[in-house]
Amino acid sequence: MAVNVLANENIWFDKCKYDDAEMKYYSQTHDSVPANTPVQNTARNPPATQSAMQGGDGELCSRVTALEKENLGLHKEVEKLRLTLSKLELRLSTVEKSLGGSKPAVCPPGPTHAQAAAQQPVEDGDDEIDLFGSSDEEESRESERVREERLRQYAAKKSNKPTLVAKSSILLDVKPWDDETDMGKLEECVRTVQMDGLVWGASKLVPVGYGIKKLQIQCVVEDDKVGTDQLEEGITKFEDYVQSVDVAAFNKV
């Protein structure tokens, strides 16, 4: 079966013989083979070698192109570095010229302690005698006496100055037990609470609900002497009339 298939195929099995015969013919007639003959091309460069050479040439060309681009970029970077270096050299020379033209002034050294002592004039022995020493002592005593007198006056004035007392205005809500509580008696009990630094003020009855009214009373206290806890404790001791005490308002005077 395979032999029949190969027999039907159009294959030139004797091509090598014909190529050899062609070579001999040209060598005999012209003593050389034409450069464009397929035999010479095939003998010199087989198909595998030709394809390999073509692939190698393409790769080599691409590498050469990449190297040329890289070389061009390096040339540009070197040129930039040269320009920068030249600018720096120019600035450095300018700074050196400016520093060389203006020299810093040097301050002359000051005289030593021995030189200063030598330059002072020698005083005569007669100048050390103070003929008016008693008058200077009297003036110093007088000034000391005046200074002490002024200090005494200032201390007395400061002690007589009244000190500022911190005070607060407090508004209290005093609530009774029910509507049958005598509010007049309740207010009277509240005002019986007396303390040092406590002054009672105006008062009024404010309706709460269901016929019940609360006593709202104003007072002024000294912060250092009276506190809200003391007020609440003094008012709530009247248990027959007072149910509770609340601070409605607290303001500094």
Side-chain angles (χ1 to χ4, degrees):
M1 183 68 182
V3 176
N4 294 332
V5 172
L6 292 176
N8 294 328
E9 290 291 334
N10 188 11
I11 300 175
W12 193 4
F13 292 101
D14 298 335
K15 185 177 183 303
C16 295
K17 296 180 180 180
Y18 287 95
D19 290 338
D20 294 339
E22 185 179 4
M23 286 285 294
K24 292 179 180 179
Y25 172 76
Y26 281 112
S27 62
Q28 291 176 1
T29 55
H30 300 286
D31 295 332
S32 62
V33 181
N36 56 354
T37 57
V39 177
Q40 185 180 16
N41 292 335
T42 305
R44 290 181 180 180
N45 297 322
T49 305
Q50 291 178 2
S51 61
M53 290 177 64
Q54 291 177 359
D57 292 342
E59 183 180 359
L60 181 61
C61 290
S62 61
R63 292 182 63 184
V64 169
T65 305
L67 288 174
E68 288 179 352
K69 292 181 179 179
E70 185 177 358
N71 191 17
L72 182 60
L74 290 176
H75 278 296
K76 291 182 179 180
E77 293 295 332
V78 170
E79 189 65 24
K80 291 181 180 179
L81 291 175
R82 287 178 179 175
L83 292 175
T84 305
L85 183 59
S86 62
K87 291 180 181 180
L88 290 175
E89 290 177 351
L90 180 60
R91 292 182 60 184
L92 183 59
S93 61
T94 305
V95 171
E96 289 179 351
K97 289 179 181 180
S98 62
L99 291 177
S102 59
K103 296 182 179 179
V106 180
C107 298
T112 61
H113 181 70
Q115 294 177 354
Q119 291 176 1
Q120 292 179 356
V122 180
E123 297 179 354
D124 297 334
D126 297 337
D127 295 339
E128 296 178 358
I129 301 174
D130 189 4
L131 300 177
F132 304 98
S134 59
S135 62
D136 294 338
E137 292 178 359
E138 291 178 358
E139 290 178 0
S140 62
R141 291 175 182 175
E142 182 66 20
S143 61
E144 185 69 20
R145 187 186 63 80
V146 172
R147 187 175 67 85
E148 291 179 357
E149 183 66 23
R150 289 179 179 176
L151 289 175
R152 193 181 301 108
Q153 293 177 0
Y154 175 75
K157 183 178 180 181
K158 187 175 181 181
S159 62
N160 295 330
K161 185 177 180 180
T163 57
L164 182 62
V165 179
K167 295 182 180 181
S168 301
S169 175
I170 304 175
L171 182 63
L172 298 175
D173 284 345
V174 183
K175 297 178 182 178
W177 288 104
D178 50 24
D179 57 344
E180 297 179 356
T181 303
D182 187 359
M183 298 304 294
K185 186 64 177 178
L186 186 146
E187 182 179 355
E188 184 180 349
C189 293
V190 170
R191 290 184 180 274
T192 57
V193 178
Q194 297 294 328
M195 300 179 188
D196 185 17
L198 171 63
V199 178
W200 291 106
S203 63
K204 64 179 180 179
L205 297 177
V206 179
V208 177
Y210 303 101
I212 302 174
K213 295 181 180 180
K214 66 179 178 179
L215 175 66
Q216 199 170 69
I217 187 169
Q218 186 85 23
C219 65
V220 177
V221 299
E222 295 182 9
D223 297 342
D224 295 337
K225 297 180 180 180
V226 182
T228 56
D229 296 337
Q230 296 175 349
L231 287 175
E232 292 179 4
E233 183 179 357
I235 296 173
T236 53
K237 68 181 181 180
F238 301 103
E239 298 178 353
D240 296 337
Y241 301 98
V242 179
Q243 177 188 5
S244 63
V245 179
D246 297 325
V247 177
F250 187 95
N251 298 312
K252 290 290 183 180
V253 178

